[in-house]
Amino acid sequence: MSLDIYTLFVCELYVLGFLSIIMIFAWIGSQYDRVLGFTCLSLIFTLIAVFLSSLRSSGLHFLPVAVGNVMMMLAYGGLLNAFRRLCDKPLGTHWLLGALLWALLCCFPAFYYSLPKRVMVLCIACIAYTAALIQLVWQARDTLKASFWPAQLLLWIHLLFHLARLFLDTAVPSTQPGAIGGSNFSVYVILESILFVIGLTFTLLAMVNERMQVSLKHASLHDPLTSVWNRRALFNEAEKIVARCRRQNRPFSAVLFDLDHFKSINDQYGHHQGDLVLIHFCDVVSSLLPAEGRFARLGGEEFAAIIPGAAEEAETWCESIRLAVCASQPNAIPYSVSIGFATATGHRQGFEDLLAQADAALYHAKASGRNRTAQHPVTAALS
C-alpha cells in the first residue's frame, strides 16, 4: 500500500498546529516554564517550515529551500535550548549555528540548486542536533528516572533514521503530484517527523513534570535555609536505619544538638549572621557524618541525627563535632553546641523513644553549663 504524500502533509500540519496549541497552554499553565516555552517555539518554527516546503508545488524555490530550512534549523535549536534548560545549562549561541550555516550555504548556487547536497547537509545537521540532545538527556539521567529511557529511545530512533536517509535517499526529484516536492523519500520523512514531534512533545511534558515532582519532593524533605534533611525526612530515613540495624543486630544512636545562646547571636550580630552560623554548623556536621548516618534540622537552632554504632562510637562522634565547632569562628562569631545522645539497648526501642532519651540528656548537658556532651542514662557530662 502506497502512502499519499498530500494526505501525510495535511496530517503533519494538523498535528503540528494542535501540538503547538497544547504546548502554549502547558507553557502558560506551568508559569512560563522555559523548557516548555522553547519547545513551543520549536513546534511553531517546524509548522512554518513545513508550510513553506509546500510552496515548491507553486514553483517557488527561495521560500521553501532557504527560509523553510532555516526555520527547521531554528526548530532544532529551540529543542536544544529546551534540553539545555532542562539540564540547567546556559543557552549560549549554539542554537543559531544550524540556521546560520544553512543561510550561508544557500549563498552558493552549487548548493542552493542541488537537492542531493541539501539532503546530505540537512541529514548531517539533524544527526548533530539529535546527538547533542541525547548527550543532554544522558547528563540529566539522575533526575529523570521515569522519562529517561523513553527520551533516549525516541532520540536514537530519530538519529538512526536520518543516518539511514544519508544512504537510502537518492535525492532524485519526485514527479508525483502533491503539496510537497523533494525526492521520493519525502513520504518517509514526513511520516517519521509526525511520529517524532508527537513522541517528543509528550516526552518533554513528562520530563518537565518529573523534574517538577523531584523538585517538590526535595523541597518537602529539606530545610530551605541549610539544605539538610528536615524532621519529616529524618523520621522516614530513621525507620529504614532502625530496621537495617535490627536485621544486622547492630546498635544505633539518636543525637540531639542545640546551639548555645543562639538568641544572643541573633541579637548581637543580626539574623543574617545567625543564619550563616546555622549553615556553618550544618556544614561541620555533614562533613563528619558517617556514610550510614542521617542528620536534620528540627527547627530554630535544634538539630538531630541517627547514626549506627555503639555508645562509645556515638560519644566520639559527638565530641568531634563539639570540638570542631569550638575551634571554628565563622565570620569571627564564636559559638558552641550542647549535645545529648542515647543508644538503643534493646530490639524494642525505636528512634522516637531514643530521641526522647537524647532530649533528656541534652537538657542535662545544658543544665551542666552547656558546650558539652551528655549520654542517656545521664552520667558525668564531658567537658
Side-chain angles (χ1 to χ4, degrees):
M1 181 183 72
S2 61
L3 297 172
D4 179 62
I5 193 170
Y6 179 77
T7 303
L8 285 176
F9 166 72
V10 173
C11 288
E12 185 172 23
L13 280 180
Y14 174 80
V15 167
L16 287 168
F18 187 70
L19 291 178
S20 298
I21 294 172
I22 290 178
M23 194 56 64
I24 288 173
F25 281 103
W27 174 57
I28 296 173
S30 65
Q31 302 298 313
Y32 307 103
D33 183 275
R34 297 184 73 183
V35 175
L36 298 183
F38 281 118
T39 305
C40 180
L41 192 63
S42 176
L43 287 170
I44 293 172
F45 280 141
T46 306
L47 178 63
I48 296 171
V50 171
F51 173 75
L52 290 177
S53 68
S54 69
L55 300 180
R56 287 197 193 97
S57 60
S58 302
L60 298 176
H61 197 76
F62 176 75
L63 286 176
V65 172
V67 180
N69 285 305
V70 165
M71 288 293 168
M72 187 58 69
M73 292 297 101
L74 289 175
Y76 273 105
L79 285 179
L80 184 64
N81 279 347
F83 278 81
R84 289 186 70 84
R85 288 305 306 157
L86 194 69
C87 299
D88 295 320
K89 292 182 177 292
L91 300 181
T93 58
H94 306 81
W95 70 288
L96 295 172
L97 294 180
L100 292 174
L101 175 63
W102 190 271
L104 179 64
L105 289 173
C106 284
C107 295
F108 299 94
F111 173 83
Y112 183 65
Y113 293 104
S114 173
L115 181 58
K117 292 179 181 177
R118 296 201 306 268
V119 168
M120 181 183 68
V121 171
L122 189 61
C123 287
I124 293 173
C126 291
I127 291 170
Y129 272 117
T130 309
L133 299 182
I134 290 172
Q135 183 183 19
L136 288 169
V137 173
W138 177 260
Q139 292 174 2
R141 63 189 181 280
D142 292 335
T143 57
L144 299 173
K145 303 293 185 182
S147 55
F148 169 74
W149 285 113
Q152 282 282 308
L153 179 62
L154 182 67
L155 291 170
W156 271 107
I157 290 174
H158 188 64
L159 185 147
L160 293 174
F161 173 82
H162 284 283
L163 185 63
R165 186 186 176 190
L166 276 172
F167 302 97
L168 300 178
D169 192 346
T170 59
V172 176
S174 174
T175 58
Q176 297 179 8
I180 298 181
S183 68
N184 291 322
F185 201 79
S186 296
V187 63
Y188 302 107
V189 175
I190 297 173
L191 181 60
E192 192 274 340
S193 66
I194 291 174
L195 298 177
F196 177 68
V197 295
I198 292 174
L200 191 63
T201 299
F202 287 102
T203 299
L204 269 166
L205 285 170
M207 292 167 79
V208 170
N209 179 67
E210 184 176 4
R211 185 190 63 170
M212 186 179 300
Q213 294 300 322
V214 169
S215 176
L216 291 174
K217 183 178 180 181
H218 182 275
S220 70
L221 297 177
H222 289 77
D223 176 61
L225 174 64
T226 61
S227 297
V228 298
W229 295 101
N230 59 21
R231 175 188 289 269
R232 175 186 175 188
L234 178 65
F235 275 79
N236 289 341
E237 290 294 307
E239 290 180 5
K240 302 174 186 177
I241 294 174
V242 169
R244 184 164 61 249
C245 287
R246 285 173 177 170
R247 287 196 305 269
Q248 299 172 353
N249 198 28
R250 296 171 60 195
F252 59 93
S253 302
V255 185
L256 276 175
F257 308 86
D258 188 275
L259 301 191
D260 298 327
H261 304 295
F262 185 71
K263 184 178 183 300
S264 64
I265 294 177
N266 281 333
D267 293 341
Q268 183 176 353
Y269 299 99
H271 287 278
H272 176 67
Q273 293 298 325
D275 288 346
L276 294 180
V277 168
L278 294 174
I279 295 171
H280 175 268
F281 175 72
C282 289
D283 290 341
V284 170
V285 178
S286 298
S287 67
L288 298 172
L289 187 68
E292 295 181 276
R294 295 294 183 269
F295 169 70
R297 182 186 182 193
L298 301 184
E301 67 274 19
E302 295 181 341
F303 302 84
I306 178 171
I307 56 170
E312 295 79 8
E313 298 172 84
E315 183 177 57
T316 301
W317 181 68
C318 292
E319 277 297 282
S320 67
I321 291 173
R322 188 183 69 81
L323 293 174
V325 166
C326 289
S328 64
Q329 294 187 4
N331 294 334
I333 302 175
Y335 75 102
S336 61
V337 60
S338 298
I339 307 172
F341 74 94
T343 302
T345 56
H347 281 283
R348 292 184 176 274
Q349 284 183 293
F351 177 65
E352 195 167 351
D353 297 328
L354 277 188
L355 210 57
Q357 294 176 2
D359 186 50
L362 175 63
Y363 178 80
H364 180 78
K366 293 168 68 175
S368 301
R370 303 178 187 270
N371 189 22
R372 62 193 64 225
T373 299
Q375 177 187 355
H376 185 278
V378 175
T379 56
L382 299 172
S383 59

